[in-house]
Amino acid sequence: MQTKLVNKKLSDVKADITVEFLTADEVSSHELATLLSQAGFKGKEDQICFLYEKEILLCGLEDRSADNLRAAATLAVRTLKNANYKSAKTQIKAEKTFSALVEGFVLGEYAFNDYKSENTKTALTTISFSVEELDHKKLKNIFEETIIIAKATCFTRDLVNTAPQELNPKTLSEIAEKLAKDNGLTCNVLDEKGLKKEKMNAMLAVGRASVHESHLIHISYKPKNPKKIISLVGKGLTYDSGGLSLKAATSMVSMKMDKAGACAVLGMLKAVSELRLDIEIHGFIGAVENMIGGNAYKPDDILVSRSGTTIEVRNTDAEGRLVLADVLDYAQDKVKADYIFDFATLTGACMVALGPYTTGIMGHSTVLKHKISFAASSSGELVGSLPFNKHLVKLLKSEIADISNVSSKPYGGAITAGLFLDKFIKDENKEKWMHFDIAGSAYSESAWDCNSYGATGAGVRMISNFLQNIK
Ligand code: BES
Ligand code: ZN
Ligand code: ZN
C-alpha cells in the first residue's frame, strides 16, 4: 500500500472513497447528520459506518487524541482491506496528531502472509492525506519520518513472525548483514570460535544443544560527529524450548518470538539510519537457540560468564539472562556509550505484573525512566516502571556460585530478572543502563490497538522517538 501526502483540498484529491473520523459531538453537526442518525452512527469508539453511495467511510472516535486516532485509522484501513476500493483519502486536521493517524493506517494495514498459499492481495493500493490548510513543508518531514519508523516497525514484525526453522542464529546474522549492506552500516559476527575466544561461556552454554551455532552480531551506524553514542542490546533466542527445564507443550507455542528483542534492535538501526540521525548506534545481538540434547546445559551447571561472575543454573528456561549477561559485558567493553538499553522477551512475570501489552522498564536512573516513559507515550507504546529494591537482590543468592539464574521466591520475577542483568552492568554504567522486558508487548495471538496477530515491533517506535528528541 502506498501512502501520499497531497497539498490539495480534500475534494480535489481523486480517490474511490473518503475516510472521515468523527467524535459523538461532531456527528450531530455533520452535514449528513440525518443520514448518520438513520444509519445508527453515533461516533462511538470502534464504530464504523459505510455510506456506499456517498463514497464515505465514517469512523467513530472517543476524542481526537493521538492514541484514539491511531486506533481508529487501524480499524478504518482493516475495513477498507475487506472492501474493493483501490484508493482512499482523508483530511488531516491537526499537526499534533498527524503522525499517529498515518501510523494507524500503515501499522494497521500490516498482515504477515508469507506462509499463506491463497492470494492475500487486497484491492486497496493508495491512501492520500490531504493537508491543504496546514503547513505542508513541516508536515512533509513528519510524514516521511513517520513512514520510516512505521516501516521499520513492520520490518521487525516480519522478522519476529518468521518461523523458527527458517530464522535461526545464522540466518539472523545474514539478515543483519543484509541490512548493514543496504543501509550503509557496519556488521561483525562472532561465531562459536569467536565466542569461545571472548570467554562468553554463559551464552555458549545456552546454545550448546542446538544444531545451529550461536552468533554474536555487532551492527553499527556511525555518522560523522555524532552527538551521542548509544548501545542497544537484544535477546535473540530464535527458539526457546526451555532446554532441559522444558516448557509445557502449550507454553512453548509462540516461542519463536523470543528473538523479538534482537529484531527490535535491527528495526531501530534501520529507522535511525534512514532518519539519518546524528547519533552513533551500536546494536549487539545474542543469537542463540535453546534446545535439548545429550550435550545440553543442565540445572546444577555452574557457568563462568565473560565477566568472571559464576552463575549457578537452576532453571535452563531462564536462558535469556545468561545470554544477555555475556552480551552486555561484551558491549560495555567494546563501546563507551552514553546509554545502554537492552530489549528482551525475558519473563512471563512481566505480563503478570503489567498485563500483556505493556513493556516493563527497569533501571537505576529516575531521570532516564521519565525520558523513556515520555518517548513511549508520545509514540503510542505502553511502558510501566518496575522498581528495584535491595531485598529482592538477595533472592538471587547462590550457595555454590556468585549468583543463581533464578530467584528463590516465585514473586517479582520480572524485577529479579532485571536485577540479575544489573549484576553485569559496570559501576560506571549503572545510571546509563535501562532494561526493557518486552515479553508481553512484543507478541500477541489476538489483535490489539494498531497491532495485528503476532509480532508488534515493540520498542522500535518508542526508541526511535527517544533518539529523535535526544539533546
Ligand atoms: N522467553 C521466556 C519468557 C517469556 C515467557 C516470554 C512467555 C514471552 C512469553 C524466558 O526465557 C523464560 O522462559 N522465562 C522464565 C523464567 C523462569 C524460569 C524464572 C519464565 O518467565 O517463566
Ligand atoms: Zn526461557
Ligand atoms: Zn526465553
Side-chain angles (χ1 to χ4, degrees), residues 126-360:
T126 320
I127 296 190
S128 303
F129 300 92
S130 148
V131 293
E132 203 228 352
E133 286 148 30
L134 300 164
D135 181 347
H136 181 261
K137 218 170 141 200
K138 195 169 172 198
L139 285 185
K140 193 164 179 287
N141 278 336
I142 301 177
F143 181 70
E144 283 167 4
E145 290 172 4
T146 304
I147 297 292
I148 287 174
I149 296 168
K151 285 198 172 158
T153 305
C154 294
F155 168 80
T156 294
R157 288 175 175 182
D158 276 345
L159 296 184
V160 177
N161 285 328
T162 301
Q165 92 271 19
E166 192 178 328
L167 206 152
N168 56 55
K170 182 161 173 270
T171 54
L172 187 60
S173 299
E174 287 162 4
I175 289 162
E177 276 159 351
K178 181 172 185 305
L179 173 67
K181 195 160 166 256
D182 292 348
N183 284 32
L185 316 173
T186 57
C187 185
N188 265 309
V189 178
L190 291 188
D191 58 11
E192 288 193 347
K193 204 170 142 212
L195 292 171
K196 273 179 198 138
K197 239 190 189 160
E198 285 289 339
K199 301 194 171 76
M200 298 178 76
N201 301 314
M203 174 166 164
L204 279 164
V206 174
R208 205 164 59 213
S210 168
V211 295
H212 304 290
E213 262 200 55
S214 300
H215 280 179
L216 177 101
I217 304 164
H218 178 189
I219 177 167
S220 350
Y221 166 68
K222 291 183 186 171
K224 280 195 190 111
N225 308 316
K227 56 181 180 196
K228 285 272 188 293
I229 303 178
I230 320 278
S231 286
L232 306 172
V233 175
K235 170 177 173 181
L237 262 289
T238 61
Y239 203 72
D240 180 13
S241 70
L244 290 180
S245 313
L246 195 65
K247 285 185 185 292
T250 50
S251 314
M252 207 185 294
V253 178
S254 79
M255 275 305 140
K256 65 171 183 182
M257 59 86 145
D258 217 17
K259 58 186 181 290
C263 302
V265 168
L266 292 180
M268 291 166 199
L269 271 140
K270 179 173 161 66
V272 168
S273 54
E274 289 169 14
L275 293 167
R276 298 176 183 280
L277 300 185
D278 52 353
I279 304 168
E280 186 172 314
I281 312 278
H282 292 267
F284 294 94
I285 288 167
V288 186
E289 193 184 52
N290 187 19
M291 300 297 281
I292 53 171
N295 60 344
Y297 84 125
K298 308 176 254 308
D300 288 350
D301 276 349
I302 309 285
L303 311 175
V304 185
S305 69
R306 186 180 186 276
S307 72
T309 300
T310 57
I311 307 167
E312 178 191 358
V313 177
R314 293 183 69 88
N315 191 317
T316 62
D317 198 11
E319 83 300 333
R321 60 194 77 182
L322 300 174
V323 172
L324 287 178
D326 276 350
V327 180
L328 280 166
D329 189 66
Y330 179 90
Q332 291 172 93
D333 274 354
K334 299 295 164 191
V335 175
K336 294 286 155 251
D338 295 294
Y339 292 118
I340 303 158
F341 299 154
D342 75 74
F343 303 87
T345 45
L346 205 61
T347 65
C350 190
M351 283 185 270
V352 177
L354 296 172
Y357 310 123
T358 303
T359 296

Side-chain angles (χ1 to χ4, degrees), residues 7-28:
N7 196 7
K8 277 186 196 167
K9 249 195 348 217
L10 186 70
S11 52
D12 293 341
V13 180
K14 272 210 177 126
D16 298 341
I17 189 140
T18 303
V19 183
E20 268 192 63
F21 299 95
L22 291 179
T23 63
D25 292 347
E26 290 162 345
V27 171
S28 46

Side-chain angles (χ1 to χ4, degrees), residues 45-91:
E45 191 173 38
D46 294 335
Q47 205 181 7
I48 210 113
C49 176
F50 255 125
L51 297 178
Y52 295 99
E53 287 181 3
K54 304 257 176 212
E55 292 172 348
I56 297 178
L57 173 65
L58 294 143
C59 308
L61 266 185
E62 198 181 302
D63 58 42
R64 294 210 154 265
S65 67
D67 287 345
N68 283 331
L69 273 163
R70 187 186 298 103
T74 294
L75 187 59
V77 74
R78 286 185 188 153
T79 309
L80 288 175
K81 277 179 81 177
N82 286 327
N84 257 324
Y85 301 103
K86 286 202 180 83
S87 56
K89 61 180 177 180
T90 193
Q91 172 92 55

